[in-house]
Amino acid sequence: MLIASLLPLLGGALLPVLRLKSRRSRTLWVEGVTVLTSLMVLRLILRGAADVTVIAFSREFRLRFGLDGMGRVFLGLMAFLWPLAALYASEYMQHEEREDSFFAFYTMTYGVMILYCCACNLFTLYVLFECITLITLPLVWHKKDAPSIRAARAYIRYSIGCAAFAFAAMILLSVYASGDFQLGGLDLADMPAGLMGAAFLATFFGFGVKAAVFPLSAWLPRACAAPTPVTALLHAVAVVNAGVYAVLRMVYDIFGAEALRGTWAQTVALIFSILTILFGAVMAVRERHVKRKLAYSTVSNLGYMLLGASIMTPAGQVGSLMHMVCHGLMKITLFFCIGAVMVQTGRTQTRQMQGLSRRMPLVFAAFTVAAIALMGIPPLCGFISKYYLATAALEMGNLWGILGVAALLISSVLTAIYSLSVALPAFFMPLDAAAGPEIPNRCDPGLRMLVPLGVLVCAVLLLGVYSQPLANVLRAIAGM
């Protein structure tokens, strides 16, 4: 696993040094490193690897890496998406400056994320959590204009500032227990119940800041100032899912769902998860900038995953992980489509999408499929994950379960409103030439953008009609 992580770290770091003379050479280098890394990750997922301790600062604080079921799920999602994102970015970034710098950090982030998925304990998870912030910060400020600088400041302020709560909880937990993650949680029998609840909420909000938990979500829409490959892969899949992944670890492998279930801490987590769902959906309806609209949509869907974690049952864990996978596929498709529209036409506002399907039929066909899936319409994958979450919420058998289902239903209606506000005008309204820059008769992007879109649409369809194998794997991970 260390070799799999070192390959993209070294491959990215060497890119500025190599000074490749053409875009083609750089594309081949980045794509080659990324594909080879994903193949190594696939082998790691299938065969596993022995746990390894890199540095032991003390008995409580060790940098230790291994791979279990939950890590395999997150790692598998990234291994599938990263080569597609790198290929897409190779065409997209032709319109941007400092391409070597961009692809260097973009590739190195893959290595850091691999290590994050393989973290064996809370200390290692926390260290890599902060490393994710630092390695992705140059991607957020890549354009170096005023919006990008403001976005980077907000990103680091929220991420590192709120992670201080997680750090405090980690120090507190080390007094009562230490050791690697284990299903059911560590032995915290000597920890007072009130103190345990406070420590859990410190990790919930400290790590949950990357999952844009309400009210700590303002950084995510601002991060849309970054190039679309950044917002698509890192701020709609990898980075934000890192927050959800950490919360899942806290619930099921550190504190233990049994110890937290029915406590005031669970109630607080449920309240803020539901608020995140509704806040993100409402803001997405109100937003007129299409990329920011998708960012608020991400906030809402991250609330779905946090809701699954906050249910604190095996069924909730299955629902959360299922939505992590399904949402990753749907949302990266939507961001890729909007990125193609922005590059090819220069249009960014909802009203500017009118009639564009006639000029970009392939892009808007892909957008519509992913948008319908995001609404939760069967048999697409968005329905499957929402079904598992709703079922887990109802199994709680109390008011909070009912409120959770109500939030899912309300947000689904709002999802239909903000998704169709882009798709329907594109197909059924005439092109408004005065709404934006003049565009040619046919302006679908090149194959390096279209091929990833085609693969992703197929994945959305396939996972919707053939979700049972993944569901069985997730049930096994949750101990069902």
Side-chain angles (χ1 to χ4, degrees), residues 290-308:
V290 183
K291 207 159 120 178
R292 287 174 61 89
K293 183 186 289 287
L294 293 180
Y296 279 118
S297 169
T298 298
V299 172
S300 180
N301 280 269
L302 290 167
Y304 289 19
M305 303 174 217
L306 293 174
L307 175 65

Side-chain angles (χ1 to χ4, degrees), residues 104-117:
F105 286 104
Y106 203 66
T107 306
M108 286 191 291
T109 301
Y110 193 6
V112 175
M113 291 302 305
I114 291 171
L115 292 175
Y116 182 78
C117 293

Side-chain angles (χ1 to χ4, degrees), residues 77-428:
L77 177 64
M78 290 193 302
F80 175 69
L81 294 179
W82 221 286
L84 298 175
L87 182 61
Y88 176 95
S90 68
E91 182 174 339
Y92 182 98
M93 292 303 295
Q94 292 177 177
H95 308 276
E96 301 281 347
E97 299 177 349
R98 297 179 297 280
E99 293 176 61
D100 279 347
S101 172
F102 174 87
F103 282 106
F105 286 104
Y106 203 66
T107 306
M108 286 191 291
T109 301
Y110 193 6
V112 175
M113 291 302 305
I114 291 171
L115 292 175
Y116 182 78
C117 293
C118 295
C120 270
N121 54 49
L122 178 55
F123 175 71
T124 308
L125 188 80
Y126 176 81
V127 171
L128 270 299
F129 186 85
E130 297 287 31
C131 288
I132 291 170
T133 302
L134 297 177
I135 198 69
T136 55
L137 186 63
L139 294 171
V140 177
W141 75 36
H142 176 77
K143 293 183 179 181
K144 295 187 177 181
D145 55 10
S148 299
I149 298 299
R150 287 195 297 269
R153 287 174 179 170
Y155 177 49
I156 197 166
R157 188 166 57 243
Y158 274 82
S159 296
I160 293 183
C162 292
F165 292 104
F167 177 81
M170 178 181 69
I171 299 301
L172 180 61
L173 284 166
S174 68
V175 176
Y176 293 92
S178 62
D180 294 345
F181 295 133
Q182 56 184 9
L183 188 61
L186 304 179
D187 183 8
L188 296 172
D190 296 333
M191 193 173 191
L195 189 59
M196 180 186 294
F200 166 70
L201 289 179
T203 60
F204 180 83
F205 288 103
F207 288 124
V209 66
K210 272 196 170 59
V213 61
F214 179 84
L216 305 175
S217 55
W219 69 270
L220 184 56
R222 294 179 188 176
C224 286
T228 298
V230 178
T231 53
L233 182 62
L234 305 184
H235 293 159
V237 181
V239 170
V240 293
N241 281 349
V244 175
Y245 179 78
V247 171
L248 286 167
R249 287 293 193 188
M250 296 306 103
V251 172
Y252 296 98
D253 296 340
I254 291 292
F255 293 94
E258 290 288 343
L260 292 170
R261 196 180 306 137
T263 64
W264 64 275
Q266 182 193 23
T267 300
V268 172
L270 285 167
I271 289 172
F272 281 92
S273 298
I274 291 171
L275 288 175
T276 303
I277 293 172
L278 298 176
F279 170 77
V282 169
M283 292 301 293
V285 171
R286 296 181 58 190
E287 181 61 51
R288 293 294 173 260
H289 191 285
V290 183
K291 207 159 120 178
R292 287 174 61 89
K293 183 186 289 287
L294 293 180
Y296 279 118
S297 169
T298 298
V299 172
S300 180
N301 280 269
L302 290 167
Y304 289 19
M305 303 174 217
L306 293 174
L307 175 65
S310 302
I311 290 171
M312 298 182 182
T313 63
Q317 185 179 8
V318 170
S320 184
L321 289 172
M322 180 67 81
H323 197 67
M324 178 188 291
V325 174
C326 294
H327 175 257
L329 296 174
M330 297 181 293
K331 190 53 63 66
I332 198 171
T333 304
L334 293 170
F335 268 111
F336 278 1
C337 290
I338 293 305
V341 171
M342 292 172 62
V343 164
Q344 298 296 105
T345 71
R347 300 189 174 201
T348 60
Q349 303 297 311
T350 303
R351 62 181 177 82
Q352 295 177 322
M353 301 297 113
Q354 296 179 10
L356 277 185
S357 68
R358 297 170 182 80
R359 305 293 176 91
M360 306 182 72
L362 298 179
V363 167
F364 276 94
F367 182 93
T368 303
V369 171
I372 293 172
L374 194 67
M375 297 174 208
I377 304 298
L380 302 176
C381 63
F383 167 76
I384 301 298
S385 58
K386 289 183 181 182
Y387 169 78
Y388 280 106
L389 286 168
T391 301
L394 288 175
E395 286 178 357
M396 294 179 70
N398 58 24
L399 176 62
W400 293 111
I402 296 172
L403 291 176
V405 173
L408 292 176
L409 293 174
I410 293 170
S411 69
S412 294
V413 173
L414 295 176
T415 300
I417 293 172
Y418 65 70
S419 298
L420 295 179
S421 70
V422 177
L424 291 182
F427 282 97
F428 300 109

